[in-house]
Amino acid sequence: LAKHPEIKALMKPDYNLIWVVVLMVLAQLTAFYLVKDLDWKWVVFWAYVFGSCISHSMTLAIHEISHNSAFGNSKAMWNRWFGIFANLPLGLPYSISFKRYHMDHHRYLGGDGIDVDIPTNFEGWFFCTRFRKFIWIVLQPFFYAIRPLCINPKPISRLEIINLLAQLAFDVAIYYLWGVKSIFYMLAGSVLGLGLHPISGHFIAEHYMFLKGHETYSYYGPLNLLTFNVGYHNEHHDFPNIPGKSLPLVKKIAAEYYDNLPQYNSWIKVLYDFVMDDTISPYSRMKRQLKGEVKQD
């Protein structure tokens, strides 16, 4: 910032995010209606080909919203309510809990017992062969859901209860209107999109140490168009209050800080390398013993 103070001008909400999220919710509602009378094989097909992409993209929209990118820091609660709305087509309550744990990830990156992005010791010990690492990738959404309860359980908040009740009401409404195939499409799309899917390469690309000494990596490939530029991950951790839309400008303005860092151009290759490289496993993360006062959401 001392060298490039113009970056401060990028620290503002991205109001276009609001309309993108609304359109994504409407797209999924349309899909719920269209699949209700299809044969099961086509429900599964469209859940993976279309629903999974929208669902994973929506989790990254929720990531943006967790940083108050939709309405700004001055309207934090507006962002929380909007996150609950964005959560609806995913089928499972996620937004409020994600915000609580994700802020810890930014404040205490790699903090042992705090940062639930770090795999458990069991994951590192058991998923150590190529086949088991493949299974671990397939089951990633389950580990991300269960891991916080094992590593850093938190008291349930009022907003989490609201998130749960709103989601249950939405799911019941979808089932009542369009039946079990729409519910299956919704839930399968979320699970498949967060598991063995090209976009899921970002989970591993962001912080797994493929190179010793480098714990955060950016990805500059085309899938950033579907993921709110989450691939610009060094830039995001440097400036978490800058919306994803503006992160390419951060890289352009401060190119001398980012251009020479290790980077990726393919999330599919990241997944392949993770499975096939016997030196990489869920243990390939930087873990820190935190000192001093720890403040969590």
Side-chain angles (χ1 to χ4, degrees):
L1 285 177
K3 189 173 182 180
H4 298 288
E6 63 270 31
I7 288 177
K8 291 181 181 179
L10 304 176
M11 299 176 182
K12 58 185 179 182
D14 174 15
Y15 295 116
N16 288 331
L17 176 63
I18 299 169
W19 305 113
V20 171
V21 167
V22 169
L23 288 174
M24 290 169 69
V25 171
L26 292 176
Q28 280 294 70
L29 284 173
T30 302
F32 296 160
Y33 172 77
L34 292 175
V35 303
K36 68 184 179 68
D37 295 320
L38 294 180
D39 289 340
W40 277 106
K41 64 177 182 291
W42 290 111
V43 176
V44 174
F45 174 82
W46 287 114
Y48 188 78
V49 171
F50 183 76
S52 64
C53 296
I54 295 289
S55 292
H56 200 139
S57 183
M58 188 63 88
T59 67
L60 295 169
I62 290 171
H63 168 253
E64 288 284 291
I65 296 165
S66 76
H67 286 282
N68 295 334
S69 292
F71 296 98
N73 292 322
S74 63
K75 296 180 178 178
M77 280 305 299
W78 288 36
N79 289 282
R80 302 293 77 75
W81 294 119
F82 192 56
I84 292 173
F85 169 75
N87 195 152
L88 294 177
L90 295 178
L92 298 170
Y94 162 81
S95 176
I96 299 300
S97 297
F98 173 79
K99 191 283 195 284
R100 297 179 74 193
Y101 283 103
H102 188 64
M103 294 304 102
D104 293 341
H105 170 68
H106 275 272
R107 292 190 188 112
Y108 309 110
L109 181 62
D112 190 17
I114 302 295
D115 183 1
V116 299
D117 196 57
I118 300 289
T120 61
N121 286 330
F122 169 79
E123 291 171 74
W125 168 76
F126 185 78
F127 296 100
C128 56
T129 67
R130 292 180 180 181
F131 176 73
R132 291 180 185 180
K133 287 191 288 183
F134 175 80
I135 297 300
W136 183 78
I137 289 173
V138 172
L139 298 177
Q140 273 192 110
F142 298 101
F143 287 113
Y144 270 92
I146 295 170
R147 197 182 294 148
L149 303 177
C150 300
I151 295 178
N152 185 19
K154 296 185 178 188
I156 297 175
S157 69
R158 179 179 67 90
L159 278 177
E160 284 176 307
I161 294 173
I162 294 172
N163 193 176
L164 172 63
L165 294 176
Q167 191 64 59
L168 286 174
F170 179 82
D171 293 352
V172 169
I174 294 299
Y175 178 77
Y176 177 79
L177 289 171
W178 298 321
V180 69
K181 289 181 180 178
S182 296
I183 291 291
F184 177 87
Y185 167 88
M186 174 168 57
L187 296 175
S190 297
V191 172
L192 294 171
L194 295 168
L196 187 62
H197 194 280
I199 297 177
S200 291
H202 83 86
F203 288 130
I204 294 170
E206 290 166 359
H207 296 296
Y208 284 78
M209 293 181 64
F210 283 79
L211 293 174
K212 297 291 185 182
H214 294 274
E215 63 174 304
T216 303
Y217 301 79
S218 288
Y219 156 84
Y220 299 123
L223 289 177
N224 277 308
L225 296 173
L226 299 177
T227 59
F228 302 90
N229 287 326
V230 75
Y232 288 76
H233 216 67
N234 276 298
E235 296 84 348
H236 172 60
H237 272 268
D238 285 347
F239 301 101
N241 55 344
I242 293 180
K245 180 186 74 171
S246 299
L247 292 177
L249 289 175
V250 173
K251 182 179 184 297
K252 183 177 180 181
I253 291 169
E256 69 272 27
Y257 290 97
Y258 298 109
D259 283 355
N260 294 321
L261 293 176
Q263 57 191 249
Y264 300 112
N265 290 303
S266 171
W267 278 335
I268 295 176
K269 187 175 187 302
V270 168
L271 292 172
Y272 177 83
D273 289 346
F274 179 81
V275 171
M276 300 305 293
D277 189 337
D278 294 334
T279 67
I280 303 295
S281 77
Y283 270 141
S284 302
R285 292 289 296 260
M286 180 71 76
K287 184 183 283 190
R288 296 180 174 85
Q289 297 297 325
L290 298 175
K291 299 179 181 179
E293 186 179 5
V294 174
K295 296 181 179 180
Q296 301 183 63
D297 279 5

